[in-house]
Amino acid sequence: MKSIFRWLLGIKESGSGVTAANRMKLMVVHDRYQMPPAIVEQMKKELLEVASKYFEIDPETAECVIKSQGNRRAFISAIVPLLKRGQANTNANSNNRKSNNKNAKAKDTRNLQASAA
Amino acid sequence: MTETEINSNSNFAGKVIVVTSGKGGVGKTTTTANIGAALAGLGKNTCVIDMDIGLRNLDILMGLENRVVYNLVEVIEGTCKLKQALVRDKKFPNLSLLPAAQTRDKTSVNAEQVKALIEEVRKHFDFVLVDCPAGIESGFQNSIAGADEALVVVTPEMSSVRDADRIVGLLEARRDQIGGVHLIVNRIKPGLIETHQMMSIEDIQEILALDLIGMVPDDEDIVVSTNKGEPLSITGSNKSAGQAYRNIARRLTGEEVPFMDLNKRLGFMGRIKAMFA
Ligand SMILES: Nc1ncnc2c1ncn2[C@@H]1O[C@H](COP(=O)(O)OP(=O)(O)OP(=O)(O)O)[C@@H](O)[C@H]1O
Ligand SMILES: [Mg+2]
């Protein structure tokens, strides 16, 4: 019921203001470190190359961003989902792949720890 | 009256606060005039300095343009005494304006000279507010030269926040001199924030990592008050931008003041929307 009213009144859960805030959070960090997004993209590629030497990874859902963290500090946040052993080179059909990616996302933290270890 | 009497007690060491933003047109001068008047209303000896040399505006917002005789550049060059250049407010005898030069440019003074001038000014006042020009060049450097604290004004727009971030970085590099850097979010449109079409105050605060000292609504009466040369913080209702500025002034004096509930300014539709949000 409430959601019908919300729809009638044009209230959105996440409007352009949320998009703006998310864009800003990345932008200011790039500004502060004088690090253009293209360079971060390059770093991501190289990180993935290194990771793929040790693990079967899923490069398509991998994320690598510089994030701010209160007090104007920042950190590199890389989330590199690992594939099950032997899966990387098999040409799994796309549906299968997608559900696997979801699993990988859910275990993001563990993946990160695994790659840090 | 050609000359303003300034406080004869020369043992004051007033707090010097620069009002800055990076991006132009976000409300620095409006903020300076309104907080200046509000501080005077609280009984504080207050001086507002227009550092926007070449683009003088603060005198207009305060309704003092006809009383300007000398300006800041002439004080620095020794053409006149500080006393002669200060313009006393019509309503508040404890509020003075030090006007900018209109026909000179920002390079006609340097940071060292401004710093020496401000050291002189602060002896006579409790609060000295410096209205900084837009940008990060010499005008900005001059404006922060003598400041103890800074008010960073932003509007809830990406370009404004980005430019403010640049300013905050520059202020931070002077942390030994500029102790407190506070955030003022100006021209807030509660309706847009309600429907998430504007960055939230919390987001802006998180991005800039500053202490929030004021949230000022977008208020049509600001235009009216500018036309009259009478800051809204003197006349505005308790729901106006003027009230928001009065609150900031009280916070600057060390008082704890709760933030205004801006949602109460929503219209009928806005309130209905808010009910379901
Ligand atoms: N809270 C507000 N509500 C409505 N209008 C506002 C508000 N604050 C500022 N304005 C308007 O925005 C315009 C710019 O304000 P102001 O001159 O104070 O900005 P500024 O930052 O000093 O600009 P500049 O960088 O050119 O010095 C003015 O027309 C002013 O009336
Ligand atoms: Mg201005």
Side-chain angles (χ1 to χ4, degrees), chain B residues 22-43:
Chain B
K23 187 175 159 67
V26 298
K28 293 176 292 296
T29 306
T30 305
T31 297
T32 308
N34 276 281
I35 297 180
L39 282 169
L42 291 171

Side-chain angles (χ1 to χ4, degrees), chain B residues 90-134:
Chain B
K90 287 176 283 192
K91 192 159 260 165
F92 297 110
N94 56 338
L95 176 61
S96 297
L97 162 74
L98 181 55
Q102 176 66 351
T103 54
R104 305 290 294 271
D105 70 84
K106 292 180 171 63
T107 56
S108 50
V109 295
N110 65 39
E112 233 168 88
Q113 292 170 319
V114 174
K115 194 165 181 221
L117 172 69
I118 283 179
E119 284 312 312
E120 177 61 26
V121 175
R122 78 190 310 166
K123 288 180 191 159
H124 308 282
F125 297 94
D126 300 310
F127 284 94
V128 179
L129 299 182
V130 181
D131 181 19
C132 178

Side-chain angles (χ1 to χ4, degrees), chain B:
Chain B
M1 184 177 65
T2 53
E3 198 176 280
T4 305
E5 285 168 51
I6 55 180
N7 203 307
S8 51
N9 179 355
S10 291
N11 298 322
F12 278 48
K15 197 181 261 184
V16 181
I17 305 172
V18 61
V19 182
T20 181
S21 71
K23 187 175 159 67
V26 298
K28 293 176 292 296
T29 306
T30 305
T31 297
T32 308
N34 276 281
I35 297 180
L39 282 169
L42 291 171
K44 303 291 175 189
N45 284 315
T46 306
C47 179
V48 291
I49 302 183
D50 191 346
M51 206 59 90
D52 205 345
I53 297 167
L55 297 167
R56 169 161 106 198
N57 273 330
L58 189 53
D59 53 337
I60 298 178
L61 267 66
M62 302 186 66
L64 297 174
E65 68 277 10
N66 292 331
R67 298 188 173 197
V68 174
V69 182
Y70 294 106
N71 61 60
L72 174 148
V73 176
E74 288 168 316
V75 178
I76 285 177
E77 287 175 345
T79 312
C80 66
K81 290 256 160 24
L82 171 64
K83 251 178 136 176
Q84 294 172 292
L86 287 172
V87 182
R88 187 146 53 158
D89 188 69
K90 287 176 283 192
K91 192 159 260 165
F92 297 110
N94 56 338
L95 176 61
S96 297
L97 162 74
L98 181 55
Q102 176 66 351
T103 54
R104 305 290 294 271
D105 70 84
K106 292 180 171 63
T107 56
S108 50
V109 295
N110 65 39
E112 233 168 88
Q113 292 170 319
V114 174
K115 194 165 181 221
L117 172 69
I118 283 179
E119 284 312 312
E120 177 61 26
V121 175
R122 78 190 310 166
K123 288 180 191 159
H124 308 282
F125 297 94
D126 300 310
F127 284 94
V128 179
L129 299 182
V130 181
D131 181 19
C132 178
I136 51 172
E137 294 81 23
S138 68
F140 167 74
Q141 296 298 341
N142 289 345
S143 301
I144 66 170
D148 309 314
E149 288 190 26
L151 299 176
V152 175
V153 183
V154 301
T155 57
E157 290 164 298
M158 293 178 72
S159 51
S160 167
V161 175
R162 185 185 210 177
D163 292 359
D165 191 69
R166 196 65 211 287
I167 291 290
V168 174
L170 295 171
L171 291 171
E172 209 161 66
R174 309 263 293 252
R175 196 180 258 162
D176 48 331
Q177 175 207 329
I178 299 167
V181 182
H182 313 280
L183 174 67
I184 295 179
V185 184
N186 188 24
R187 308 201 71 163
I188 296 170
K189 298 192 173 95
L192 286 186
I193 286 186
E194 205 65 60
T195 55
H196 303 286
Q197 298 303 339
M198 196 171 244
M199 262 187 282
S200 73
I201 317 291
E202 298 80 55
D203 279 334
I204 296 173
Q205 195 189 354
E206 187 195 325
I207 290 164
L208 295 174
L210 292 182
D211 154 58
L212 182 71
I213 197 170
M215 303 192 285
V216 183
D218 192 76
D219 191 337
E220 289 176 2
D221 289 346
I222 288 279
V223 180
V224 179
S225 79
T226 302
N227 290 343
K228 291 184 185 162
E230 201 173 59
L232 196 59
S233 61
I234 303 173
T235 54
S237 78
N238 65 356
K239 296 229 162 76
S240 67
Q243 178 66 41
Y245 284 123
R246 287 194 289 268
N247 289 349
I248 297 170
R250 286 167 61 196
R251 290 183 193 114
L252 285 174
T253 66
E255 208 181 314
E256 278 211 21
V257 187
F259 285 99
M260 265 164 83
D261 185 358
L262 296 178
N263 291 332
K264 294 220 175 90
R265 277 179 68 80
L266 289 178
F268 176 66
M269 275 310 286
R271 271 198 299 276
I272 291 186
K273 281 186 184 182
M275 262 166 61
F276 292 101

Side-chain angles (χ1 to χ4, degrees), chain A residues 1-88:
Chain A
M1 192 59 185
K2 202 171 168 181
S3 64
I4 295 174
F5 277 113
R6 296 176 63 86
W7 177 79
L8 281 172
L9 292 163
I11 296 171
K12 291 181 194 143
E13 294 294 337
S14 65
S16 61
V18 179
T19 314
N22 289 334
R23 288 175 65 199
M24 275 317 312
K25 283 174 194 170
L26 286 178
M27 196 192 298
V28 292
V29 182
H30 290 138
D31 284 354
R32 282 175 207 159
Y33 289 84
Q34 294 172 16
M35 173 75 88
I39 302 286
V40 175
E41 226 9 73
Q42 176 63 32
M43 181 180 71
K44 173 181 169 182
K45 255 192 205 157
E46 289 174 25
L47 273 176
L48 293 187
E49 268 169 39
V50 172
S52 64
K53 278 191 202 166
Y54 301 91
F55 292 96
E56 308 280 13
I57 62 161
D58 181 0
E60 274 159 52
T61 53
E63 266 178 46
C64 175
V65 289
I66 303 193
K67 285 186 175 164
S68 64
Q69 173 199 43
N71 261 335
R72 302 178 66 80
R73 302 221 179 155
F75 59 96
I76 299 168
S77 163
I79 294 173
V80 185
L82 305 185
L83 293 176
K84 278 185 190 142
R85 213 162 250 295
Q87 199 187 2

